[in-house]
Amino acid sequence: MKIKEQKLIRRYLVWCYKTTKESLDKIDRYYTQLQVDAFILQDLKKQRSSDKDYQKFLKDFENYMAKKKENVDLQKYKDEKSKELRPDYIYLKNRFLAIEKAIVHFLGKKELLAIEQLYEKEMITRILEAREHF
């Protein structure tokens, strides 16, 4: 394969990886957030404050977590019992796996690892550079 073609293939595969991974992460990240939120909530409850305002903050956080789970379940699952995945979610998962295979096929396993690292670095950079507007 010519170097010019190789660069175009790499660029396209990086774009496919990024866009598909972002779509998948928009759903999957909420489940990991819920794990962290549950840990944080349990730690906050250990403080055993009887202050009504403090208890309201805890209840608000629990409600926020429940709403987050409800919303993300609608994006991932077909049914309310969270048993059957939505076809669009299955497609995204399968598309992402196929993109990873294509990267290995065209560019090699080492390049897949490099692209994964680039993606993670970009996501962390976005988080650290985000500015809250109050």
Side-chain angles (χ1 to χ4, degrees):
M1 189 176 331
K2 296 177 186 173
I3 291 175
K4 186 175 182 178
E5 284 179 341
Q6 185 81 2
K7 287 180 180 181
L8 291 173
I9 287 171
R10 182 180 187 276
R11 202 176 325 151
Y12 177 63
L13 286 169
V14 167
W15 178 82
C16 288
Y17 183 97
K18 176 193 172 290
T19 56
T20 306
K21 182 82 166 116
E22 282 179 337
S23 295
L24 206 48
D25 281 357
K26 283 181 183 177
I27 298 169
D28 290 342
R29 71 178 179 218
Y30 288 104
Y31 291 101
T32 56
Q33 289 174 10
L34 286 165
Q35 291 174 35
V36 174
D37 289 346
F39 179 90
I40 291 169
L41 180 62
Q42 290 308 310
D43 196 67
L44 289 171
K45 286 181 174 182
K46 289 177 185 176
Q47 305 306 316
R48 301 200 188 275
S49 175
S50 59
D51 183 274
K52 288 182 182 181
D53 289 333
Y54 185 84
Q55 293 303 315
K56 183 182 180 323
F57 283 118
L58 289 180
K59 188 66 178 161
D60 288 348
F61 190 50
E62 286 177 320
N63 291 338
Y64 161 79
M65 289 171 60
K67 189 69 175 166
K68 182 191 287 190
K69 180 157 181 9
E70 182 182 317
N71 288 338
V72 75
D73 282 350
L74 293 173
Q75 295 176 50
K76 186 172 182 175
Y77 297 103
K78 260 184 166 181
D79 58 342
E80 292 179 18
K81 295 177 184 173
S82 300
K83 299 236 188 235
E84 191 176 347
L85 294 172
R86 292 173 49 104
D88 52 338
Y89 180 80
I90 294 168
Y91 171 79
L92 271 177
K93 294 278 288 187
N94 290 338
R95 176 178 166 82
F96 186 70
L97 292 172
I99 290 166
E100 288 182 316
K101 289 177 187 175
I103 292 169
V104 171
H105 174 78
F106 286 99
L107 308 173
K109 179 74 172 161
K110 189 175 178 182
E111 192 61 25
L112 173 60
L113 296 173
I115 291 168
E116 289 172 349
Q117 289 175 341
L118 284 171
Y119 179 82
E120 286 303 313
K121 183 179 180 188
E122 171 66 20
M123 293 302 108
I124 295 295
T125 300
R126 285 186 193 182
I127 291 166
L128 294 175
E129 291 179 351
R131 301 287 183 249
E132 294 292 326
H133 301 283
F134 295 100

